[in-house]
Amino acid sequence: MDAEKAIINRKSIRAFNKQIPSDEDLLDIVKIAQKSPSWINSQPVRIFIAKGDKLDAMRKEHKSINENPDVHTRSDLKFTPIREWDIESQNNMHNKRKADLSMFGNKFDEMKQVQSDNLFDAPAVAYITLPNNYTEWSLYDAGAMSEALMIAAQDKGIDSMPAFEFVKYPDRLRDNLGVRNRSFVLGIGLGYRDENNPINQIEGKRMSVNEVAKIIK
């Protein structure tokens, strides 16, 4: 698969099947992602991949915490409510929700919550981290490397799901993964899509290129 096809074919998968990517493939896509640009070659990103029994235990704990109304997320990156985003971004988010509700009706929120509680049944999760004292420039590295990782995965036929859900409870991640002095920026579910789950029909419509880019001569 060439780069263009990998980028176009990649989509966020909200339900994975039980097939588990090999350790070799997971490390290979990280190695490829390391070629992404890094601000002054600082290379601040470290990736921790959970799978197997460790991830199964984390998944059960995550579901239990999600179901506890007395526990709220304290993510390392500040959570920003939709109403605080710029108006164009808000419009895109609202249009996405309208499309999802149009496709699935009132059952959509329940479907989405089930998958979120179970970390989308992802058989592997790559946690993207930065040093606790990272500069905002390092967020560029984290984003670039995350995208490169997902495209490298798609090239191998491995689907992905980048989500805030994976990093909602960073203190538990630090304990479960034995990670210290790192901030959890993003989690990326990795595996193979469940072709029978209708939630994977969701598509995020993109703005036209003329709305996004402007050539100035």
Side-chain angles (χ1 to χ4, degrees), residues 82-169:
I82 291 178
R83 65 179 180 277
E84 295 180 17
W85 290 65
D86 66 277
I87 191 63
E88 286 188 330
S89 295
Q90 288 188 48
N91 289 338
N92 286 331
M93 294 178 195
H94 288 313
N95 288 337
K96 170 70 165 51
R97 177 161 176 77
K98 287 179 183 177
D100 294 340
L101 290 174
S102 175
M103 181 179 295
F104 296 108
N106 293 331
K107 66 179 180 179
F108 172 69
D109 287 335
E110 181 180 354
M111 291 171 59
K112 186 172 68 170
Q113 190 61 55
V114 167
Q115 292 308 115
S116 296
D117 286 346
N118 291 290
L119 298 179
F120 313 100
D121 295 314
V125 179
Y127 293 95
I128 310 300
T129 73
L130 291 172
N132 280 345
N133 62 342
Y134 68 86
T135 72
E136 290 185 354
W137 296 107
S138 291
L139 290 171
Y140 168 83
D141 284 61
M145 194 165 183
S146 296
E147 172 69 359
L149 185 148
M150 289 186 283
I151 298 307
Q154 190 65 45
D155 187 58
K156 291 180 177 293
I158 297 173
D159 292 303
S160 56
M161 176 64 188
F164 170 74
E165 190 70 36
F166 293 114
V167 293
K168 283 171 66 175
Y169 311 114

Side-chain angles (χ1 to χ4, degrees), residues 30-49:
V30 173
K31 183 177 181 180
I32 294 169
Q34 285 183 273
K35 295 295 290 181
S36 60
S38 175
W39 199 264
I40 323 178
N41 201 38
S42 51
Q43 303 183 70
V45 178
R46 299 292 181 272
I47 300 175
F48 301 90
I49 302 176

